[in-house]
Amino acid sequence: TVLELGCGTGRLPRPLQALGLTVLAVDQSAEMLAHAPPPAQRVCAEVGTLDLQRTVDVVLAASCLINDPRPTARAALLACARRHLGPQGVLLVARHDPTWLRTARVGPLRAAGAVALTVEAVEQRDGVTAMTLRYDIGTASWRHSFHAQALDDADVAAELAAHGFGAPLWLGAAR
């Protein structure tokens, strides 16, 4: 069983369910959650207050929630993961590349399949990046504005250790 925190419209529950996994899809936006695919169990809740009164095999935080600039929000994310993981459970966390956050500039980014990405606005201040990304697919566009704390490897390891997790194992060149 996989608990995805911050699932949005269900980008990851679809392929996970195709592999035969049971998915609990959690997002704070009812509008986005409405697009999560059945048969995923959809839960509209803030990650920090979520308590399903059960444990799962995997907690997946793939939406870079670990990069929230508020230490209390990062702590709430990891406390939620700890609360829901079974004894042999695994936490999978995606983070923004800290170098990219620190050096991002306005302009086009590498396309992601059929999606063209453009940084429309960016400002860095005290390790926090405020950014607006535009996603274009054909004639449709969508904008996503966010604030993200640049977290180096040691920062992530410290956050995990503070919540009783072991040292991280990194995947891929971007870690």
Side-chain angles (χ1 to χ4, degrees):
T1 302
V2 177
L3 171 61
E4 186 185 4
L5 303 175
C7 74
T9 61
R11 170 179 61 98
L12 294 177
R14 285 179 179 85
L16 293 173
Q17 289 176 146
L19 293 171
L21 300 172
T22 299
V23 179
L24 305 168
V26 177
D27 203 278
Q28 68 182 8
S29 168
E31 183 178 273
M32 291 183 76
L33 194 59
H35 297 282
Q41 178 183 342
R42 300 173 214 175
V43 179
C44 188
E46 293 277 340
V47 168
T49 60
L50 181 69
D51 190 352
L52 298 175
Q53 299 292 310
R54 67 172 284 191
T55 60
V56 298
D57 303 304
V58 176
V59 171
L60 176 60
S63 297
C64 298
L65 299 177
I66 193 77
N67 289 99
D68 194 303
R70 300 166 298 163
T72 55
R74 293 193 306 269
L77 168 72
L78 295 173
C80 178
R82 173 59 55 215
R83 212 173 20 255
H84 291 96
L85 277 174
Q88 300 301 314
V90 175
L91 170 62
L92 299 172
V93 177
R95 68 156 177 189
H96 287 294
D97 178 332
T99 301
W100 176 70
L101 283 177
R102 291 181 182 114
T103 62
R105 300 291 176 253
V106 171
L109 296 174
R110 177 173 42 109
V115 181
L117 291 105
T118 303
V119 175
E120 286 195 334
V122 64
E123 178 183 338
Q124 290 100 2
R125 183 174 303 172
D126 299 325
V128 175
T129 300
M131 185 180 298
T132 298
L133 293 175
R134 187 181 76 234
Y135 301 81
D136 295 307
I137 303 174
T139 60
S141 290
W142 178 72
R143 285 174 176 78
H144 177 210
S145 296
F146 61 92
H147 288 79
Q149 177 79 44
L151 298 174
D152 292 314
D153 294 1
D155 299 324
V156 173
E159 294 272 356
L160 293 172
H163 293 282
F165 292 99
L169 300 174
W170 300 97
L171 299 175
R175 301 177 67 74

